[in-house]
Amino acid sequence: MRLIGGDQTALWAPGTVATVLGWGATVFRGPQEPQLLQAGVPIVTDDACANAYPALADNPFDPVTMVCAGDGTADTCTGDSGGPLLVPYVDTFALAGVTSYGFHCADPAFPGVYARVGASAMNTWVRDRVPTAAITISPRSPDPGTDVLLTATATAGAFRPGAPTFAWDLDDDGRYDDGTGTTDRLRDVSAGSTVVRVQVSYPDGDRALAREVVTTAGSPLPQPPPPPPPPPRPGTVDPVLRVDTQPAPLADSSAANSDLPRLARLLAGPRRVRVSSLLDGRVSIAVSCSAACALSARLTLDARTAHSIGLAKVARSTLIGTGSRRLRRAGRVTIVIRLQPSAVRALRRARDGAVRVRVTARAGQRAQRLERTITLHS
């Protein structure tokens, strides 16, 4: 895997959707997963991460060595530590971070924290201990039918004894049998894109690999890798809710023009939760918008339950929490509905009941309402 360069900060700028991998838990304090999973997490600004982790005694956020990613939809979790944070590079990936720590899992208020291996000092430290290789292409955008000079360089630091050897794969067959030495030529390059690789081997048996793509002038650049699919079990992305059944889409109660695509959809929302799951004072739901939109959410307790636990003097539904988010472009987001402190205290007396989530999405003159009833049980 390519190690991000210290001068390639644009590849992991805030907003970039990075890919994480691991066998870690998919819910807070959950079990390890039996198969490797992947997910997409957007990189967030240093200011946002510093606000989420303000000078914690054990793990304060340090932008010199740390970078954050995640919006509450997906996250790394217990058992994923040490795994990769990958960012798109041409048609493949580069390693930009290493999974470190976080608070709970997939909590929208606390993005995951990763070692910032693109930082200058850390990048140098890694390259001093782990062999790396790179390929320089000249000219960078050759004309079809011309020759291309390829130059390989390697770093190993003082920890790697002996001089390395270089071997080339110029026909993309996975075998390094097309040339040796620090330079080689790709002759009569074909129009389009061609993958070239070099393998650097050391006397102690360690090695480094490098991969580059030669794209001729006038040809389209290779497509970046697609973003990972959404989490495999949407109902378990929120560590606060203990979900007992698979989530179901919210009902679409809008009267929008049928010729237009639906403005908003539910990505994750439970049917049933334990009353104890609400005592942390929040409920999270994931929603997507087909365009830039403003989202507002209301959580109401059904009339019977509100009356029985003393939240309403007469039998009527009662507002117990609100939340809002704004999407600047089409995409998905997690809305955290914060419960009123008085509602949290009163819910300690509840044994069952129901709450209703109502989400309103607005984009210009368009508006759509989504609703879901969530059953409570002890």
Side-chain angles (χ1 to χ4, degrees), residues 296-299 337 356-360 369-372:
S296 60
R298 294 165 55 89
L299 188 69
I337 302 175
R356 178 174 290 274
V357 177
R358 175 179 292 178
V359 178
T360 302
R369 179 177 295 169
L370 305 174
E371 294 184 354
R372 157 62 68 194

Side-chain angles (χ1 to χ4, degrees), residues 186-276:
L186 187 63
R187 301 188 183 280
D188 191 21
V189 62
S190 302
S193 296
T194 303
V195 175
V196 295
R197 297 181 178 87
V198 69
Q199 176 177 267
V200 182
S201 301
Y202 290 86
D204 64 357
D206 213 342
R207 63 176 185 161
L209 305 175
R211 175 187 185 276
E212 283 290 352
V213 180
V214 179
T215 302
T216 56
S219 299
L221 294 175
Q223 292 297 307
R233 291 201 296 264
T236 63
V237 299
D238 178 43
V240 178
L241 295 179
R242 188 177 306 161
V243 181
D244 297 302
T245 62
Q246 288 293 331
L250 296 176
D252 181 2
S253 60
S254 70
N257 189 327
S258 60
D259 294 333
L260 296 175
R262 293 178 62 187
L263 177 59
R265 294 177 183 272
L266 177 80
L267 298 181
R271 286 181 181 274
R272 286 165 50 87
V273 297
R274 297 184 186 277
V275 174
S276 59

